Amino acid sequence: GAADVITTVSHQHIYGLLFNILWPLAAGRRLQASSLSWFEDLSATLAAREAVLISSPAHLSRIPENPGWARAAQRLRVVFSSGGALSFDVAQECQRLLGRVPIEVYGSSETGGIAWRQQETQEHQAWTALPGVEWRLSAIEAIDAEEEVLAVRSAHLPSEKWFCTADRAHAAADGKFFLGGRVDRIVKIEGKRISLSAIEKLLMASPLVGLARVIAVDGRRQRVAAFVVPSEHGQCELVALGRRGFTRLLRRLLDHFIEPVGVPRIWRYLADLPVNAQGKT
């Protein structure tokens, strides 16, 4: 319909530029001149008009309980999300609070839009290529091993050649595909291949952890550092056990799955992960 475009993301990157400004102008829709950073302002704005919400995982994963969402959900027509994949749990929480499962758009500044999905059920986690986008799996060398990554070809690219992304992928049914994390998140420490994404996944599978980000830190010896936002249960354990005891608990989660050199040596516990104006951690 003629819903206004409301945003929580900056127009200073390709997703925000396309969805916040160029699409509304081309479609003759009203757009919100500034992004809304506060959830109280967002719920009130959405409740006041028919609206499309342009958002990101950084914002959608932090939506608090608020009675105002019930009124907002009555007028919200669709939610778009990009800049990273939403977890299935967050997609379902958006459905509960906002009345809509977000339409996720996968792409990059280099490729433009590639594919989309809407996780209405756990069976809807594969990605569907956007019109005019061809894709295939391409084998590349990545730290002593061959990986299959997604390659794309479309009119958005500067040539007709296939463009290899840094995203692992495998084929699904009906011409769709699954994404499996970035190849460049594999690091080599003391001759061992360590997946930073795998460490994050193992940590976030624990009821003690709400969010986790893991990076490799360069120095005299390369080490892995973990930045953890404890869950409510985890926060209680952190207070009861202290930092050292809580760290031992998390390390034990990794011991059977991660090479010893890849287990984080540096641990930081945060109230939340910091994000920039683009919603990037």
Side-chain angles (χ1 to χ4, degrees):
D4 294 354
V5 175
I6 309 299
T7 183
T8 67
V9 299
S10 168
H11 63 274
Q12 293 173 307
H13 59 109
I14 191 70
Y15 166 55
L17 177 65
L18 290 170
F19 278 71
N20 296 351
I21 297 177
L22 299 183
W23 170 44
L25 289 175
R29 294 173 181 270
R30 293 200 306 176
L31 57 98
Q32 180 84 10
S34 58
S35 61
L36 298 172
S37 301
W38 301 99
F39 287 114
E40 293 83 356
D41 295 338
L42 179 62
S43 62
T45 301
L46 292 176
R49 65 190 83 174
E50 305 282 302
V52 170
L53 175 60
I54 311 301
S55 196
S56 71
H59 296 100
L60 296 176
S61 63
R62 291 171 167 80
I63 298 177
E65 294 284 349
N66 181 342
W69 295 128
R71 290 179 57 234
Q74 294 173 8
R75 311 197 72 175
L76 184 60
R77 292 291 162 257
V78 65
V79 179
F80 287 101
S81 177
S82 192
L86 285 176
S87 71
F88 177 73
D89 289 345
V90 170
Q92 295 302 298
E93 187 71 353
C94 290
Q95 165 78 21
R96 185 178 73 84
L97 293 174
L98 303 177
R100 294 286 180 268
V101 177
I103 295 175
E104 298 174 68
V105 182
Y106 162 56
S108 69
S109 299
E110 296 80 15
T111 62
I114 294 175
W116 70 280
R117 71 176 181 179
Q118 193 172 22
Q119 299 185 81
E120 293 175 325
T121 69
Q122 287 193 312
E123 286 69 47
H124 290 87
Q125 295 188 347
W127 296 86
T128 301
L130 290 166
V133 176
E134 298 176 76
W135 68 271
R136 70 181 187 188
L137 301 179
S138 182
I140 65 165
E141 288 293 326
I143 311 187
D144 300 340
E146 204 172 73
E147 303 270 9
E148 279 198 324
V149 298
L150 188 74
V152 297
R153 188 164 63 179
S154 77
H156 304 313
L157 290 161
S159 76
E160 294 183 359
K161 295 179 180 178
W162 287 93
F163 178 92
C164 281
T165 70
D167 295 314
R168 289 190 200 84
H170 62 274
D174 304 323
K176 300 179 182 183
F177 60 86
F178 292 103
L179 293 174
R182 291 180 65 84
V183 172
D184 57 11
R185 300 220 68 216
I186 299 286
V187 296
K188 199 168 186 180
I189 299 178
E190 298 183 19
K192 303 291 186 180
R193 298 174 76 248
I194 304 298
S195 169
L196 302 180
S197 298
I199 298 173
E200 290 176 356
K201 190 173 181 179
L202 286 166
L203 288 172
M204 288 194 290
S206 167
L208 299 171
V209 175
L211 288 170
R213 290 292 181 271
V214 176
I215 61 171
V217 180
D218 290 322
R220 289 173 59 187
R221 293 176 59 192
Q222 195 176 42
R223 296 178 295 170
V224 176
F227 299 84
V228 174
V229 179
S231 64
E232 188 174 344
H233 173 50
Q235 188 63 43
C236 293
E237 290 293 313
L238 177 59
V239 171
L241 300 173
R243 286 175 54 87
R244 186 169 295 183
F246 189 66
T247 297
R248 278 199 298 268
L249 211 57
L250 295 185
R251 285 176 62 93
R252 282 204 293 270
L253 297 173
L254 306 176
D255 282 343
H256 297 299
F257 304 98
I258 303 297
E259 293 279 358
V261 294
V263 175
R265 296 290 188 271
I266 301 166
W267 295 82
R268 297 289 183 270
Y269 301 110
L270 310 172
D272 209 347
L273 292 174
V275 294
N276 64 15
Q278 277 66 261
K280 303 280 188 181
T281 302

PDB file of all heavy atoms in Angstrom, residues 237-239 241-249 266-270:
ATOM      1  N   GLU A 237      25.326 -16.605  37.794  1.00  0.00           N
ATOM      2  CA  GLU A 237      26.484 -17.490  37.978  1.00  0.00           C
ATOM      3  C   GLU A 237      27.775 -16.680  38.049  1.00  0.00           C
ATOM      4  O   GLU A 237      28.681 -16.999  38.831  1.00  0.00           O
ATOM      5  CB  GLU A 237      26.565 -18.498  36.822  1.00  0.00           C
ATOM      6  CG  GLU A 237      25.475 -19.547  36.833  1.00  0.00           C
ATOM      7  CD  GLU A 237      25.600 -20.480  38.028  1.00  0.00           C
ATOM      8  OE1 GLU A 237      26.706 -20.961  38.302  1.00  0.00           O
ATOM      9  OE2 GLU A 237      24.577 -20.694  38.720  1.00  0.00           O
ATOM     10  N   LEU A 238      27.874 -15.624  37.248  1.00  0.00           N
ATOM     11  CA  LEU A 238      29.060 -14.769  37.258  1.00  0.00           C
ATOM     12  C   LEU A 238      29.235 -14.117  38.624  1.00  0.00           C
ATOM     13  O   LEU A 238      30.349 -14.053  39.170  1.00  0.00           O
ATOM     14  CB  LEU A 238      28.937 -13.706  36.161  1.00  0.00           C
ATOM     15  CG  LEU A 238      30.054 -12.661  36.059  1.00  0.00           C
ATOM     16  CD1 LEU A 238      31.408 -13.317  35.818  1.00  0.00           C
ATOM     17  CD2 LEU A 238      29.741 -11.650  34.947  1.00  0.00           C
ATOM     18  N   VAL A 239      28.137 -13.654  39.210  1.00  0.00           N
ATOM     19  CA  VAL A 239      28.198 -13.038  40.546  1.00  0.00           C
ATOM     20  C   VAL A 239      28.568 -14.091  41.592  1.00  0.00           C
ATOM     21  O   VAL A 239      29.391 -13.844  42.479  1.00  0.00           O
ATOM     22  CB  VAL A 239      26.842 -12.378  40.889  1.00  0.00           C
ATOM     23  CG1 VAL A 239      26.826 -11.930  42.349  1.00  0.00           C
ATOM     24  CG2 VAL A 239      26.581 -11.198  39.966  1.00  0.00           C
ATOM     25  N   LEU A 241      30.118 -17.133  41.169  1.00  0.00           N
ATOM     26  CA  LEU A 241      31.409 -17.805  40.989  1.00  0.00           C
ATOM     27  C   LEU A 241      32.587 -16.845  40.848  1.00  0.00           C
ATOM     28  O   LEU A 241      33.736 -17.248  41.014  1.00  0.00           O
ATOM     29  CB  LEU A 241      31.360 -18.709  39.749  1.00  0.00           C
ATOM     30  CG  LEU A 241      30.316 -19.822  39.747  1.00  0.00           C
ATOM     31  CD1 LEU A 241      30.292 -20.518  38.384  1.00  0.00           C
ATOM     32  CD2 LEU A 241      30.617 -20.830  40.846  1.00  0.00           C
ATOM     33  N   GLY A 242      32.295 -15.589  40.520  1.00  0.00           N
ATOM     34  CA  GLY A 242      33.373 -14.660  40.215  1.00  0.00           C
ATOM     35  C   GLY A 242      33.836 -14.850  38.781  1.00  0.00           C
ATOM     36  O   GLY A 242      33.504 -15.846  38.123  1.00  0.00           O
ATOM     37  N   ARG A 243      34.633 -13.905  38.306  1.00  0.00           N
ATOM     38  CA  ARG A 243      35.076 -13.950  36.904  1.00  0.00           C
ATOM     39  C   ARG A 243      35.861 -15.232  36.598  1.00  0.00           C
ATOM     40  O   ARG A 243      35.654 -15.868  35.571  1.00  0.00           O
ATOM     41  CB  ARG A 243      35.954 -12.730  36.584  1.00  0.00           C
ATOM     42  CG  ARG A 243      35.182 -11.421  36.458  1.00  0.00           C
ATOM     43  CD  ARG A 243      36.131 -10.248  36.256  1.00  0.00           C
ATOM     44  NE  ARG A 243      37.018 -10.495  35.123  1.00  0.00           N
ATOM     45  CZ  ARG A 243      36.715 -10.198  33.858  1.00  0.00           C
ATOM     46  NH1 ARG A 243      35.559  -9.649  33.574  1.00  0.00           N
ATOM     47  NH2 ARG A 243      37.565 -10.435  32.883  1.00  0.00           N
ATOM     48  N   ARG A 244      36.777 -15.590  37.503  1.00  0.00           N
ATOM     49  CA  ARG A 244      37.638 -16.738  37.235  1.00  0.00           C
ATOM     50  C   ARG A 244      36.824 -18.040  37.174  1.00  0.00           C
ATOM     51  O   ARG A 244      36.985 -18.857  36.270  1.00  0.00           O
ATOM     52  CB  ARG A 244      38.725 -16.831  38.301  1.00  0.00           C
ATOM     53  CG  ARG A 244      39.752 -17.909  38.031  1.00  0.00           C
ATOM     54  CD  ARG A 244      40.938 -17.779  38.949  1.00  0.00           C
ATOM     55  NE  ARG A 244      41.666 -16.544  38.703  1.00  0.00           N
ATOM     56  CZ  ARG A 244      42.780 -16.194  39.334  1.00  0.00           C
ATOM     57  NH1 ARG A 244      43.285 -16.990  40.279  1.00  0.00           N
ATOM     58  NH2 ARG A 244      43.395 -15.076  39.056  1.00  0.00           N
ATOM     59  N   GLY A 245      35.923 -18.226  38.129  1.00  0.00           N
ATOM     60  CA  GLY A 245      35.110 -19.431  38.152  1.00  0.00           C
ATOM     61  C   GLY A 245      34.170 -19.499  36.961  1.00  0.00           C
ATOM     62  O   GLY A 245      33.959 -20.575  36.379  1.00  0.00           O
ATOM     63  N   PHE A 246      33.580 -18.357  36.590  1.00  0.00           N
ATOM     64  CA  PHE A 246      32.658 -18.319  35.451  1.00  0.00           C
ATOM     65  C   PHE A 246      33.414 -18.601  34.152  1.00  0.00           C
ATOM     66  O   PHE A 246      32.921 -19.326  33.278  1.00  0.00           O
ATOM     67  CB  PHE A 246      31.980 -16.952  35.386  1.00  0.00           C
ATOM     68  CG  PHE A 246      30.860 -16.876  34.388  1.00  0.00           C
ATOM     69  CD1 PHE A 246      29.699 -17.609  34.560  1.00  0.00           C
ATOM     70  CD2 PHE A 246      30.967 -16.065  33.266  1.00  0.00           C
ATOM     71  CE1 PHE A 246      28.650 -17.531  33.642  1.00  0.00           C
ATOM     72  CE2 PHE A 246      29.944 -15.977  32.349  1.00  0.00           C
ATOM     73  CZ  PHE A 246      28.776 -16.711  32.533  1.00  0.00           C
ATOM     74  N   THR A 247      34.631 -18.078  34.036  1.00  0.00           N
ATOM     75  CA  THR A 247      35.447 -18.326  32.848  1.00  0.00           C
ATOM     76  C   THR A 247      35.779 -19.815  32.730  1.00  0.00           C
ATOM     77  O   THR A 247      35.734 -20.387  31.634  1.00  0.00           O
ATOM     78  CB  THR A 247      36.742 -17.490  32.900  1.00  0.00           C
ATOM     79  OG1 THR A 247      36.400 -16.099  32.880  1.00  0.00           O
ATOM     80  CG2 THR A 247      37.646 -17.814  31.727  1.00  0.00           C
ATOM     81  N   ARG A 248      36.109 -20.450  33.851  1.00  0.00           N
ATOM     82  CA  ARG A 248      36.385 -21.890  33.824  1.00  0.00           C
ATOM     83  C   ARG A 248      35.173 -22.665  33.319  1.00  0.00           C
ATOM     84  O   ARG A 248      35.297 -23.629  32.564  1.00  0.00           O
ATOM     85  CB  ARG A 248      36.785 -22.393  35.216  1.00  0.00           C
ATOM     86  CG  ARG A 248      38.235 -22.156  35.571  1.00  0.00           C
ATOM     87  CD  ARG A 248      38.688 -23.055  36.720  1.00  0.00           C
ATOM     88  NE  ARG A 248      37.936 -22.784  37.947  1.00  0.00           N
ATOM     89  CZ  ARG A 248      38.335 -21.915  38.879  1.00  0.00           C
ATOM     90  NH1 ARG A 248      39.472 -21.254  38.732  1.00  0.00           N
ATOM     91  NH2 ARG A 248      37.606 -21.729  39.956  1.00  0.00           N
ATOM     92  N   LEU A 249      33.989 -22.218  33.723  1.00  0.00           N
ATOM     93  CA  LEU A 249      32.746 -22.864  33.292  1.00  0.00           C
ATOM     94  C   LEU A 249      32.590 -22.766  31.773  1.00  0.00           C
ATOM     95  O   LEU A 249      32.261 -23.760  31.104  1.00  0.00           O
ATOM     96  CB  LEU A 249      31.572 -22.177  34.002  1.00  0.00           C
ATOM     97  CG  LEU A 249      30.324 -23.000  34.335  1.00  0.00           C
ATOM     98  CD1 LEU A 249      30.674 -24.207  35.186  1.00  0.00           C
ATOM     99  CD2 LEU A 249      29.307 -22.114  35.054  1.00  0.00           C
ATOM    100  N   ILE A 266      41.578 -14.675  26.444  1.00  0.00           N
ATOM    101  CA  ILE A 266      41.134 -13.371  26.943  1.00  0.00           C
ATOM    102  C   ILE A 266      39.607 -13.397  27.003  1.00  0.00           C
ATOM    103  O   ILE A 266      38.951 -13.736  26.022  1.00  0.00           O
ATOM    104  CB  ILE A 266      41.605 -12.231  26.011  1.00  0.00           C
ATOM    105  CG1 ILE A 266      43.136 -12.238  25.895  1.00  0.00           C
ATOM    106  CG2 ILE A 266      41.092 -10.882  26.501  1.00  0.00           C
ATOM    107  CD1 ILE A 266      43.664 -11.385  24.774  1.00  0.00           C
ATOM    108  N   TRP A 267      39.048 -13.049  28.152  1.00  0.00           N
ATOM    109  CA  TRP A 267      37.593 -13.049  28.330  1.00  0.00           C
ATOM    110  C   TRP A 267      37.158 -11.695  28.867  1.00  0.00           C
ATOM    111  O   TRP A 267      37.745 -11.175  29.814  1.00  0.00           O
ATOM    112  CB  TRP A 267      37.164 -14.139  29.311  1.00  0.00           C
ATOM    113  CG  TRP A 267      37.442 -15.533  28.823  1.00  0.00           C
ATOM    114  CD1 TRP A 267      38.633 -16.205  28.885  1.00  0.00           C
ATOM    115  CD2 TRP A 267      36.509 -16.416  28.175  1.00  0.00           C
ATOM    116  NE1 TRP A 267      38.493 -17.453  28.329  1.00  0.00           N
ATOM    117  CE2 TRP A 267      37.206 -17.624  27.887  1.00  0.00           C
ATOM    118  CE3 TRP A 267      35.160 -16.316  27.832  1.00  0.00           C
ATOM    119  CZ2 TRP A 267      36.586 -18.699  27.264  1.00  0.00           C
ATOM    120  CZ3 TRP A 267      34.544 -17.390  27.220  1.00  0.00           C
ATOM    121  CH2 TRP A 267      35.250 -18.567  26.935  1.00  0.00           C
ATOM    122  N   ARG A 268      36.139 -11.112  28.245  1.00  0.00           N
ATOM    123  CA  ARG A 268      35.558  -9.863  28.727  1.00  0.00           C
ATOM    124  C   ARG A 268      34.050 -10.044  28.841  1.00  0.00           C
ATOM    125  O   ARG A 268      33.414 -10.555  27.913  1.00  0.00           O
ATOM    126  CB  ARG A 268      35.874  -8.701  27.769  1.00  0.00           C
ATOM    127  CG  ARG A 268      37.359  -8.382  27.645  1.00  0.00           C
ATOM    128  CD  ARG A 268      37.903  -7.749  28.917  1.00  0.00           C
ATOM    129  NE  ARG A 268      39.306  -7.388  28.782  1.00  0.00           N
ATOM    130  CZ  ARG A 268      40.313  -8.190  29.083  1.00  0.00           C
ATOM    131  NH1 ARG A 268      40.085  -9.421  29.531  1.00  0.00           N
ATOM    132  NH2 ARG A 268      41.559  -7.779  28.944  1.00  0.00           N
ATOM    133  N   TYR A 269      33.483  -9.624  29.965  1.00  0.00           N
ATOM    134  CA  TYR A 269      32.048  -9.757  30.201  1.00  0.00           C
ATOM    135  C   TYR A 269      31.401  -8.383  30.158  1.00  0.00           C
ATOM    136  O   TYR A 269      31.797  -7.477  30.896  1.00  0.00           O
ATOM    137  CB  TYR A 269      31.805 -10.463  31.537  1.00  0.00           C
ATOM    138  CG  TYR A 269      32.452 -11.827  31.553  1.00  0.00           C
ATOM    139  CD1 TYR A 269      33.553 -12.102  32.343  1.00  0.00           C
ATOM    140  CD2 TYR A 269      31.977 -12.832  30.700  1.00  0.00           C
ATOM    141  CE1 TYR A 269      34.170 -13.342  32.320  1.00  0.00           C
ATOM    142  CE2 TYR A 269      32.589 -14.077  30.669  1.00  0.00           C
ATOM    143  CZ  TYR A 269      33.685 -14.322  31.473  1.00  0.00           C
ATOM    144  OH  TYR A 269      34.301 -15.560  31.428  1.00  0.00           O
ATOM    145  N   LEU A 270      30.419  -8.235  29.271  1.00  0.00           N
ATOM    146  CA  LEU A 270      29.814  -6.931  28.993  1.00  0.00           C
ATOM    147  C   LEU A 270      28.318  -6.970  29.277  1.00  0.00           C
ATOM    148  O   LEU A 270      27.678  -8.018  29.218  1.00  0.00           O
ATOM    149  CB  LEU A 270      30.037  -6.554  27.526  1.00  0.00           C
ATOM    150  CG  LEU A 270      31.462  -6.669  26.978  1.00  0.00           C
ATOM    151  CD1 LEU A 270      31.461  -6.443  25.479  1.00  0.00           C
ATOM    152  CD2 LEU A 270      32.361  -5.662  27.659  1.00  0.00           C
TER     153      LEU A 270
END
